Amino acid sequence: MSDNLFEVLAEPKRRTILDALRVKERTVGELVALTSLSQPGVSKHLRILREAGLVSAAKHGQKHLYRLHAQPLTDVDRWLQPYRPLWPDKLDALERYLDEEES
Amino acid sequence: MSDNLFEVLAEPKRRTILDALRVKERTVGELVALTSLSQPGVSKHLRILREAGLVSAAKHGQKHLYRLHAQPLTDVDRWLQPYRPLWPDKLDALERYLDEEES
DNA sequence: CGGAAATATAACCAATGGGTAATATATAGA
DNA sequence: TCTATATATTACCCATTGGTTATATTTCCG
């Protein structure tokens, strides 16, 4: 399966689902409405997200309430870490600007 | 093509290439050695990375020196942003521990 | 100039993935 | 109990992708 977290996140609809769950818990039906996917389509994505540990479901009667678990995203954050000092952020731009002023 | 940065990063060998370029610039031949891919395989990945703005090449004679550009990764960082307050980090764990001490 | 070296592109293939319709399963409610 | 609702799973299809081999292109060097 998708042993790779980046692959899980690569699928746009899955990020849409995560973004939706970030706000609050949702049932599958609600996610279907939010993603304009078929119900099986959403269930398929939810399975992959579950297996990645990014969401979990709680059965409330016939409804399944899905909840976000952000923890695995720390892996992405950690991968990003060594790149952070390399990208030019606004502060760096300001520094360069000031450096040029001096000369 | 791959209009999606996450998709570009989803491929493990591409991350290997980025990680290698993070250390220093490399020629295609060097990357072939580092990735245990065929030369065309590496060139294909490099093209995708180029189109994503993550690397650029400088011709030095017959050799092409590839260099990393971390800037597009800020997009990933920005996507991650709203999730950060949600994942339980070590500090939070410490806080919880201390809270329990009090009671 | 002619061959070797470095890289890119083209052509092709097998595997994967995301989508859907159809079906199974479980629960709510009359 | 029977039907409707909510979700999951299965089966299938088409497009994409990552890999390779073969070929083109450029540059170096004898």
Side-chain angles (χ1 to χ4, degrees), chain B:
Chain B
M1 265 293 146
S2 238
D3 56 337
N4 169 2
L5 182 57
F6 280 96
E7 242 164 61
V8 174
L9 299 176
E11 162 55 50
K13 296 290 172 102
R14 283 200 283 267
R15 289 202 305 281
T16 303
I17 291 176
L18 292 178
D19 289 338
L21 294 180
R22 188 157 47 76
V23 178
K24 60 173 177 179
E25 304 184 354
R26 316 260 190 184
T27 68
V28 177
E30 290 167 342
L31 292 172
V32 169
L34 289 170
T35 56
S36 57
L37 273 173
S38 68
Q39 177 266 312
V42 170
S43 281
K44 224 169 163 181
H45 284 309
L46 286 173
R47 175 129 111 108
I48 292 171
L49 291 169
R50 250 186 287 127
E51 287 171 353
L54 283 165
V55 307
S56 68
K59 288 183 62 171
H60 285 221
Q62 19 180 353
K63 307 199 172 180
H64 294 194
L65 252 196
Y66 273 84
R67 159 199 300 252
L68 174 73
H69 295 284
Q71 230 256 318
L73 296 180
T74 54
D75 290 352
V76 177
D77 197 58
R78 204 162 337 113
W79 181 82
L80 227 45
Q81 203 75 9
Y83 290 93
R84 287 219 179 80
L86 303 181
W87 67 57
D89 58 17
K90 286 131 203 161
L91 185 58
D92 286 348
L94 178 61
E95 279 172 17
R96 273 195 304 280
Y97 175 74
L98 294 178
D99 284 352
E100 281 172 22
E101 287 294 282
E102 282 175 30
S103 58

Side-chain angles (χ1 to χ4, degrees), chain A residues 13-47 49-50 55-57 64-68:
Chain A
K13 296 290 172 104
R14 283 201 283 267
R15 289 202 304 281
T16 303
I17 291 176
L18 291 179
D19 289 339
L21 294 181
R22 186 158 47 74
V23 179
K24 60 173 176 177
E25 307 184 353
R26 315 260 190 184
T27 67
V28 177
E30 289 168 343
L31 292 171
V32 168
L34 289 170
T35 57
S36 57
L37 274 173
S38 68
Q39 177 265 312
V42 169
S43 281
K44 222 168 165 182
H45 285 309
L46 286 173
R47 175 129 110 108
L49 291 170
R50 249 185 290 130
V55 306
S56 67
H64 295 196
L65 252 195
Y66 274 84
R67 160 200 300 253
L68 174 74

Side-chain angles (χ1 to χ4, degrees), chain A residues 30-91:
Chain A
E30 289 168 343
L31 292 171
V32 168
L34 289 170
T35 57
S36 57
L37 274 173
S38 68
Q39 177 265 312
V42 169
S43 281
K44 222 168 165 182
H45 285 309
L46 286 173
R47 175 129 110 108
I48 292 170
L49 291 170
R50 249 185 290 130
E51 287 172 353
L54 283 166
V55 306
S56 67
K59 288 182 62 170
H60 283 221
Q62 21 181 347
K63 306 200 172 179
H64 295 196
L65 252 195
Y66 274 84
R67 160 200 300 253
L68 174 74
H69 294 285
Q71 231 255 317
L73 296 179
T74 55
D75 290 352
V76 177
D77 197 59
R78 203 161 339 113
W79 181 82
L80 228 44
Q81 204 76 8
Y83 290 93
R84 287 220 179 80
L86 304 180
W87 67 56
D89 57 18
K90 287 129 204 161
L91 185 59

